[in-house]
């Protein structure tokens, strides 16, 4: 995806671009670039979001790929697409940072803010997958 603003601008709240915006834009990108029926598009979208979230939370690509070891084509796809997803992961990381900062600004301790944001991401993602 391409933006007319930077992740730093998102972190500093200089632009209004949030989690739902990111999810919508990723879905549009997947629909434009991935073939297949609605179920395949949804599965690809879910996989790419999970990859972006994994990378945005500073975890190693190899550990994510290893979770899909039973499906070698998926592993190959993830390794091929990971470099293209780096900017998306950076933007998602900025969004998550801004969300955590908003929690702290509302009075939450940092650890509590991180947990709240993670819980929100998990809940939102689960709703979108059903």
């Amino acid at each position: 995806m391409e933006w007319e603003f930077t992740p730093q601008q998102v972190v500093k709240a200089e632009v209004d671009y949030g989690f739902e915006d990111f999810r919508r834009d990723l879905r549009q990108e997947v629909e434009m670039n991935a073939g297949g029926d609605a179920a395949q598009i949804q599965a690809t979208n879910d996989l790419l979001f999970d990859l972006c979230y994994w990378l945005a939370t500073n975890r190693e690509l190899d550990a994510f790929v290893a979770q899909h070891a039973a499906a070698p084509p998926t592993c190959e796809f993830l390794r091929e697409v990971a470099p293209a997803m780096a900017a998306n992961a950076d933007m998602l990381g900025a969004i998550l940072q801004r969300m955590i900062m908003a929690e702290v600004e509302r009075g939450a301790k940092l650890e509590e803010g991180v947990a709240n944001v993670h819980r929100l991401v998990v809940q939102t993602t689960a709703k979108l997958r059903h």
Side-chain angles (χ1 to χ4, degrees):
M1 296 183 287
E2 294 183 25
W3 303 272
E4 295 179 3
F5 49 87
T6 67
Q8 293 77 20
Q9 289 175 298
V10 170
V11 171
K12 294 177 183 177
E14 295 173 358
V15 296
D16 185 22
Y17 186 76
F19 183 71
E20 290 162 5
D21 301 312
F22 180 87
R23 291 293 308 217
R24 178 200 64 229
D25 291 348
L26 181 63
R27 176 67 184 220
Q28 289 173 348
E29 185 173 271
V30 169
E31 287 174 352
M32 288 185 336
N33 295 311
D37 61 20
Q40 290 170 316
I41 289 172
Q42 183 66 44
T44 301
N45 185 64
D46 292 345
L47 181 64
L48 291 179
F49 175 80
D50 290 348
L51 173 62
C52 288
Y53 187 73
W54 186 270
L55 297 174
T57 55
N58 295 318
R59 293 181 276 176
E60 294 295 321
L61 174 64
D62 289 340
F64 184 77
V65 172
Q67 295 178 9
H68 301 278
T74 300
C75 294
E76 184 178 335
F77 172 73
L78 289 168
R79 291 195 186 285
E80 288 175 8
V81 76
M85 290 289 113
N88 293 351
D90 289 345
M91 186 58 76
L92 181 56
I95 292 165
L96 296 171
Q97 286 179 34
R98 182 68 233 147
M99 292 169 69
I100 292 165
M101 289 170 59
E103 288 285 317
V104 171
E105 289 166 1
R106 283 192 281 269
K109 293 181 180 174
L110 179 60
E111 297 80 17
E112 183 183 359
V114 170
N116 290 345
V117 168
H118 177 71
R119 190 171 30 261
L120 176 68
V121 169
V122 169
Q123 290 170 348
T124 302
T125 301
K127 287 178 189 174
L128 294 172
R129 291 184 179 177
H130 290 97

